[in-house]
Amino acid sequence: MFTSENDWLQRSTSGRRQFLASAAACAATALLPQFAMGAGAPQRLIDIHHHFEPTGKNKDGDAWTIQMSLEQLDRNNVATAIAYAGPIMDTDAEAARRKARTTNDWSTRNCLDYPGRYGLFASLPMNDVEGSLAEIAYAFDVLKADGVGLATNYGSLWLGDPKFEPIFEELHRRNAVVYVHPAEAPCCTPGTLTYEKAPIATAWMEFPTNTARTILSLWEAQTTRRFPNVRFIFCHGGGVMPMLLGRITGFADWRAVGPERMKQMFPDGVYAEFARFYFDCAQAFAPEAFDLLRKVVPPTHLLFGSDFSYFPVAHSVGLFAKLQITRELRQQIASTNAAALLPRWKA
């Protein structure tokens, strides 16, 4: 375990030549463990929402090690986790580039040390556009990452901001998978919300709201329509956005907007735009939340996620097991959909 971020940054730069030599060799031949999960249960689980913690602690201050992660996967019969080590929020370009590279190298080392158990959503220094373009090339061409991981916002900039357009243009060119995790936003940080006192945390309500905010920003900028090859995965079942779709659609009858403007923004309709996305169901396995999501999203776009280490893997596994769904849909969510989206994880 690393005692500080600086310790991690310094120590993880060692052995780079050996690491890069092994990365390309191992990435192409992932071993896919199979687990028996009992009668009526899917044979295999792919966890699409799994946190790596380079400093040895998560944001809550809880300890994290790769051994803890593996124990959780084994205990809950999860074959593979696609891991994300979090966003790079630094505004200094050189520091951000260095941290992104070190983070992605460290994450890939974990993937190589445990073949078949981990995939990777690479982190990008989004505040530095040129640095992000360079890291995209490195992540896909050298590290063979499964996709990139982004935060819903970088400071006050949401993903639809024009600054990020060159990044999405390149991700579109590469047919990339983009995993989006919520982050704190300057508008609503702890201290500005009088009700947000322990044990209430940002993740309770602000995270699902920030997911909806960044989706709306992408729609307003027409990012998702102009770069359709980018395949977005949104955490937590899309946050609060599923329950807002009807409300947004209704503004076609509001004089200040009207049907023409709504048609310009959503040529195929709001529901169709939302249904193009993929969603991990971590913290969205409650029956009422899952049922709403299932009504507006194709069954092929629903994915299993655990949100480890903020929640034990058993939390999502248990809620998923309780859902009254068909065996076919259960298998799709468990692994089939993730394997179709990320083909190297096909059994």
Side-chain angles (χ1 to χ4, degrees):
M1 182 185 297
F2 300 104
T3 57
S4 69
E5 185 170 296
N6 286 336
D7 184 32
W8 153 61
L9 285 167
Q10 291 170 9
R11 290 168 61 186
S12 59
T13 56
S14 64
R16 173 176 285 271
R17 288 183 182 175
Q18 293 90 332
F19 157 69
L20 291 178
S22 61
C26 292
T29 56
L31 303 177
L32 304 178
Q34 298 286 327
F35 295 100
M37 296 182 65
Q43 279 194 311
R44 186 167 168 250
L45 276 169
I46 297 176
D47 180 2
I48 211 81
H49 184 162
H50 198 92
H51 294 275
F52 272 174
E53 302 292 347
T55 63
K57 289 186 177 181
N58 68 26
K59 198 170 180 181
D60 291 343
D62 296 328
W64 180 97
T65 67
I66 193 67
Q67 289 74 26
M68 289 169 57
S69 169
L70 285 164
E71 287 170 8
Q72 290 268 323
L73 298 183
D74 290 345
R75 192 179 307 148
N76 292 280
N77 299 317
V78 178
T80 301
I82 313 302
Y84 174 49
I88 308 299
M89 293 293 190
D90 304 61
T91 55
D92 176 82
E94 186 157 340
R97 292 185 189 195
R98 184 171 61 251
K99 188 172 181 180
R101 183 60 52 89
T102 305
T103 297
N104 293 330
D105 281 352
W106 174 86
S107 296
T108 301
R109 169 53 64 195
N110 283 327
C111 298
L112 297 175
D113 285 347
Y114 304 96
R117 304 311 304 275
Y118 296 104
L120 176 64
F121 292 129
S123 302
L124 300 181
M126 288 290 284
N127 288 309
D128 172 24
V129 172
E130 290 303 316
S132 292
L133 295 175
E135 197 62 24
I136 288 169
Y138 181 75
F140 285 113
D141 298 339
V142 178
L143 302 183
K144 309 301 181 184
D146 294 285
V148 301
L150 304 180
T152 49
N153 54 289
Y154 291 81
S156 60
L157 301 183
W158 303 87
L159 292 183
D161 192 275
K163 175 178 179 176
F164 302 135
E165 182 152 331
I167 296 172
F168 286 113
E169 184 175 12
E170 175 62 10
L171 293 169
H172 167 78
R173 187 184 72 81
R174 288 178 174 268
N175 300 300
V177 173
V178 174
Y179 165 88
V180 181
H181 193 282
E184 290 180 359
C187 67
C188 311
T189 55
T192 65
L193 302 170
T194 58
Y195 58 80
E196 197 168 294
K197 302 170 185 174
I200 297 173
T202 303
W204 284 37
M205 191 165 71
E206 300 314 309
F207 273 14
T209 302
N210 289 348
T211 295
R213 286 179 171 128
T214 212
I215 289 172
L216 187 58
S217 81
L218 289 164
W219 284 345
E220 188 278 332
Q222 297 285 292
T223 303
T224 53
R225 295 199 66 83
R226 290 183 294 112
F227 305 121
N229 293 345
V230 179
R231 291 163 292 165
F232 286 96
I233 302 171
F234 289 96
C235 292
H236 313 128
V240 301
M241 187 54 93
M243 70 183 69
L244 298 177
L245 299 176
R247 178 182 174 87
I248 295 170
T249 299
F251 278 90
D253 292 329
W254 193 31
R255 284 188 301 171
V257 181
E260 277 193 30
R261 180 62 177 140
M262 289 296 288
K263 186 70 174 176
Q264 290 172 2
M265 290 184 67
F266 307 102
D268 301 319
V270 175
Y271 286 90
E273 291 294 334
F274 187 74
R276 291 192 176 102
F277 300 141
Y278 292 80
F279 301 91
D280 90 59
C281 296
Q283 319 321 323
F285 281 123
E288 69 281 2
F290 181 80
D291 286 349
L292 176 56
L293 187 63
R294 186 170 55 158
K295 286 178 180 177
V296 296
V297 174
T300 53
H301 285 213
L302 300 174
L303 307 164
F304 176 82
S306 74
D307 209 350
F308 177 80
S309 62
Y310 296 89
F311 288 80
V313 174
H315 175 77
S316 283
V317 169
L319 291 172
F320 180 39
K322 291 178 181 177
L323 288 177
Q324 300 299 307
I325 56 177
T326 66
R327 183 177 177 84
E328 179 184 8
L329 179 57
R330 189 176 300 280
Q331 190 62 56
Q332 284 180 298
I333 296 169
S335 63
T336 307
N337 293 342
L341 188 62
L342 306 170
R344 76 176 173 125
W345 299 111
K346 286 183 179 177

